[in-house]
Amino acid sequence: MTSERKKILLRLDPAVHDALTRWAGDELRSTNAQIEFLLRRALSDAGRMPHDAGRMRRPGRPAGSERGSTTGPDGEE
């Protein structure tokens, strides 16, 4: 069973947003995923990560997401 993701409005200083966006790009994450990654790390470091929190998706493109890919489901052309 998957739970619906919570949506929040977050106001950031433009320079902080730009720095987060660059950092996220360096790690192949969206800015949103980078913010969640950093919040999870802070929660974990503080011993406050909920045991029932779902896992984050790995950075980068999901497998098979490229348009025009000539590979089949088993990875063969």
Side-chain angles (χ1 to χ4, degrees):
M1 179 170 125
T2 61
S3 61
E4 186 177 328
R5 313 261 311 158
K6 297 285 185 175
K7 298 174 188 173
I8 64 166
L9 174 65
L10 179 63
R11 290 181 178 89
L12 296 173
D13 180 282
V16 171
H17 182 270
D18 291 347
L20 275 168
T21 300
R22 284 190 305 275
W23 190 3
D26 291 346
E27 297 193 9
L28 302 177
R29 290 188 183 100
S30 67
T31 303
N32 190 72
Q34 186 71 7
I35 291 168
E36 183 175 0
F37 171 79
L38 294 170
L39 288 171
R40 285 171 174 268
R41 187 164 66 181
L43 285 167
S44 184
D45 289 351
R48 294 177 172 262
M49 177 59 86
H51 295 291
D52 60 347
R55 299 185 74 175
M56 281 192 70
R57 188 176 68 79
R58 293 178 52 138
R61 259 177 216 219
S65 68
E66 289 188 46
R67 287 186 175 194
S69 175
T70 59
T71 59
D74 59 357
E76 303 234 355
E77 289 191 35

